[in-house]
Amino acid sequence: MGRAFVYVILGGGVAAGYAALEFVKKGVSHGELCIISEETVAPYERPALSKGFLLPEAPARLPSFHCCVGSNEERLTPKWYKEHGIELILGTRVKSVDVKRKTLLTATGETISYRILIVATGARALKLEEFGVNGSDAENVCYLRDLSDATRLVTVMQSCKGGNAVVIGGGYIGMECAASLVINKINVTMVFPEAHCMARLFTPKIASYYEEFYKSKGVTFTKGTVLTSFDINSEGKVIAVNLRDGSKLPVDMVVVGIGIRPNTGLFEGQLTLEKGGIKVNGKMQSSNASVYAVGDVASFPVKIFGDTRRLEHVDSARKSARHAVAAIMEPEKSSEFDYLPFFYSRVFTLSWQFYGDNVGEVVHFGEFSGNSFGAYWISKGHLVGSFLEGGTKEEYEAIAKATRFRPAVEDLGEVEKLGLEFALAA
Ligand code: FAD
Ligand code: NDP
């Protein structure tokens, strides 16, 4: 026994929400589309979980951040799905997929068949155990990927006001959670193996600005070392973290953000994988013509750089999802996905945006002692990447436009002197 749909979206995160909106815009009929998600709530804007959701005053709570409010579009509540005849199958894990037979098997034992499948399974947080450290299941160790993790993090945070937290990892989760912990009056030590925070994107100069800002808020940095073990008390709580450099930090709670792995497991051996994700073409179509992949799980051709990439950011999830639906519903009108990578973050009163690629030579500009500065990356004589902190809407649009345009750069000194003017004039 089972149900049959024309279109099935597997996964109920950001990409699923934006895909559903696009399906409706393109005229999907009642009963044709379903979304199957392990989460128990309708698709929401995941970025809220490390920002508004963690605020001590007037925190963001559902239904306020259901998709697609992050792009100033309609808010898709469960009622919206109902009104548009979209079946939401929530709290349901898909445990196997047969792409030849075009069927999915859920953990509840139902077989669901599809004509077209959109894979939007996102990613899972890496666990400390994968690095040889035990204790992830301790009562006061928190990860942050979904709403239930965020709810738990809030409970743990509230139970240790004025206490000490150790944040493991100096990437996006580490930086955003550290800021939220400070706002919740918790003392924070960040621990990560690199020489500076956000090592994959920031230059040492950019990182230094944020680290100094965090220090001014009371955050301590322990860099170039990793966690080796926890001291856990008889109640199952971590009371100290032990680091490879021999130090021991007493703690009331731990937040771990050490990267993710895309959820490709259901498709291994069935679809072509590349760079850890499901390989798709410029229409987001996988090696099986009936299966599309979008969001964190998709490795897609980034036309502007002429290579295949898997991105782990919300803008790419939103746009790849919409592109796939347009390609499915209006194949004759649809072109190849032409995406300019875009990452951003907001912490404390700070806010930055990055477009393009961070390769080649770097030119910094602006006031690193103030609150508006940036950087350009120049590779093979062209601008390929731009970063800006504290910009206006128009300035962010200008760096995005300039990066897409890839102007030729002959004199790095001149670009440095022009600073933001270089992008505004490009
Ligand atoms: P997800 O949103 O992760 O959704 C995947 C969905 O699939 C989930 O609902 C999951 O339960 C479901 N699923 C997986 N496997 C199965 C299965 N077998 N059966 C059923 N359901 C399944 N990016 C930014 O650019 N800016 C930000 O500020 C930002 N902040 C973030 C903050 C946090 C806390 C996190 C975790 C991420 C943040 N990101 C941010 C990244 C961004 O949220 C992701 O890139 C985006 O959510 C990816 O969308 P997705 O739909 O591909 O995956
Ligand atoms: P990131 O990949 O951003 O950062 C992981 C960090 O943990 C890196 O500094 C990494 O170092 C470090 N690390 C790896 N292993 C260890 C270890 N054993 N001990 C200590 N540190 C370690 O992943 P996050 O977990 O921060 O973020 C998860 C996902 O959520 C990402 O996809 C991210 O894009 C997304 N996200 C995005 C946000 C945004 O765009 N604003 C906000 C929040 C989340 P190394 O580089 O050496 O591996």
Side-chain angles (χ1 to χ4, degrees):
M1 274 297 285
R3 285 177 275 184
F5 293 90
V6 181
Y7 311 108
V8 169
I9 302 174
L10 169 50
V14 172
Y18 282 75
L21 182 61
E22 195 65 19
F23 266 119
V24 166
K25 284 188 178 170
K26 298 277 187 258
V28 75
S29 301
H30 281 228
E32 283 188 335
L33 171 64
C34 95
I35 296 177
I36 313 173
S37 178
E38 200 167 0
E39 291 190 79
T40 53
V41 292
Y44 57 86
E45 301 283 0
R46 200 165 301 281
L49 299 182
S50 52
K51 304 174 189 70
F53 196 88
L54 303 181
L55 291 175
E57 304 287 337
R61 289 290 178 267
L62 287 175
S64 76
F65 60 95
H66 276 302
C67 296
C68 301
V69 293
S71 299
N72 296 320
E73 296 212 50
E74 234 175 311
R75 184 161 55 97
L76 316 184
T77 57
K79 189 164 160 254
W80 180 90
Y81 291 93
K82 205 166 186 173
E83 281 168 3
H84 290 88
I86 298 169
E87 192 80 29
L88 274 184
I89 306 178
L90 301 178
T92 304
R93 189 171 61 84
V94 167
K95 63 174 198 185
S96 66
V97 180
D98 187 332
V99 301
K100 286 215 176 77
R101 300 176 125 185
K102 301 192 184 181
T103 56
L104 315 169
L105 179 64
T106 69
T108 50
E110 188 182 8
T111 298
I112 293 175
S113 61
Y114 61 82
R115 213 181 299 157
I116 302 273
L117 175 67
I118 300 184
V119 184
T121 45
R124 64 173 180 85
L126 277 173
K127 290 283 169 86
L128 287 168
E129 280 71 6
E130 293 167 75
F131 296 89
V133 176
N134 292 322
S136 282
D137 53 356
E139 216 178 283
N140 53 348
V141 172
C142 302
Y143 288 83
L144 184 53
R145 182 70 203 177
D146 60 21
L147 186 67
S148 62
D149 294 336
T151 306
R152 185 165 169 271
L153 175 55
V154 167
T155 309
V156 174
M157 231 168 35
Q158 284 169 348
S159 74
C160 58
K161 284 250 165 353
N164 299 316
V166 167
V167 172
I168 308 287
Y172 288 93
I173 291 283
M175 293 301 280
E176 293 189 5
C177 287
S180 294
L181 288 162
V182 167
I183 294 167
N184 280 276
K185 302 202 176 344
I186 293 167
N187 307 308
V188 178
T189 301
M190 292 189 71
V191 177
F192 49 84
E194 303 93 346
H196 63 75
C197 68
M198 294 288 294
R200 285 192 213 143
L201 179 63
F202 288 1
T203 64
K205 190 174 166 84
I206 295 174
S208 159
Y209 175 88
Y210 291 96
E211 288 182 14
E212 289 307 316
F213 192 94
Y214 273 54
K215 283 183 202 164
S216 76
K217 299 281 179 187
V219 175
T220 305
F221 287 88
T222 302
K223 304 189 272 188
T225 188
V226 291
L227 168 78
T228 49
S229 66
F230 290 132
D231 290 351
I232 299 181
N233 70 10
S234 56
E235 289 160 20
K237 276 193 170 178
V238 172
I239 50 168
V241 305
N242 299 304
L243 305 181
R244 187 182 289 155
D245 66 8
S247 54
K248 184 188 281 293
L249 307 171
V251 283
D252 298 294
M253 68 179 287
V254 177
V255 178
V256 184
I258 54 173
I260 60 168
R261 282 289 173 274
N263 292 319
T264 55
L266 295 170
F267 299 96
E268 270 153 35
Q270 301 199 74
L271 300 177
T272 305
L273 303 182
E274 189 175 320
K275 297 195 170 163
I278 296 172
K279 184 179 163 66
V280 294
N281 61 19
K283 302 204 186 279
M284 311 311 290
Q285 192 174 31
S286 77
S287 55
N288 178 301
S290 305
V291 181
Y292 291 70
V294 295
D296 282 10
V297 82
S299 290
F300 63 89
V302 179
K303 221 168 152 184
I304 186 169
F305 300 126
D307 59 11
T308 297
R309 295 187 189 190
R310 196 182 58 71
L311 301 177
E312 301 175 353
H313 294 272
V314 76
D315 182 65
S316 126
R318 293 167 178 158
K319 291 186 177 144
S320 62
R322 292 187 140 171
H323 190 80
V325 175
I328 291 164
M329 299 290 278
E330 293 176 339
E332 67 296 342
K333 284 198 205 157
S334 117
S335 51
E336 303 287 297
F337 192 38
D338 186 8
Y339 182 67
L340 175 70
F342 164 46
F343 316 146
Y344 72 90
S345 184
R346 289 191 300 270
V347 286
F348 298 114
T349 50
L350 304 175
S351 175
W352 59 259
Q353 295 193 6
F354 170 84
Y355 294 89
D357 203 4
N358 59 328
V359 294
E361 290 181 87
V362 187
V363 171
H364 295 97
F365 61 84
E367 286 300 318
F368 277 74
S369 53
N371 57 7
S372 179
F373 60 87
Y376 296 124
W377 281 259
I378 287 107
S379 177
K380 297 180 187 142
H382 289 268
L383 175 74
V384 295
S386 305
F387 176 96
L388 184 63
E389 163 63 48
T392 62
K393 188 168 171 279
E394 291 70 30
E395 288 167 346
Y396 286 130
E397 279 168 9
I399 64 162
K401 205 167 137 212
T403 311
R404 178 167 280 286
F405 178 59
R406 293 168 59 102
V409 174
E410 275 156 26
D411 182 349
L412 296 187
E414 185 64 17
V415 173
E416 187 174 10
K417 221 172 359 171
L418 285 170
L420 201 49
E421 287 304 314
F422 174 71
L424 290 164

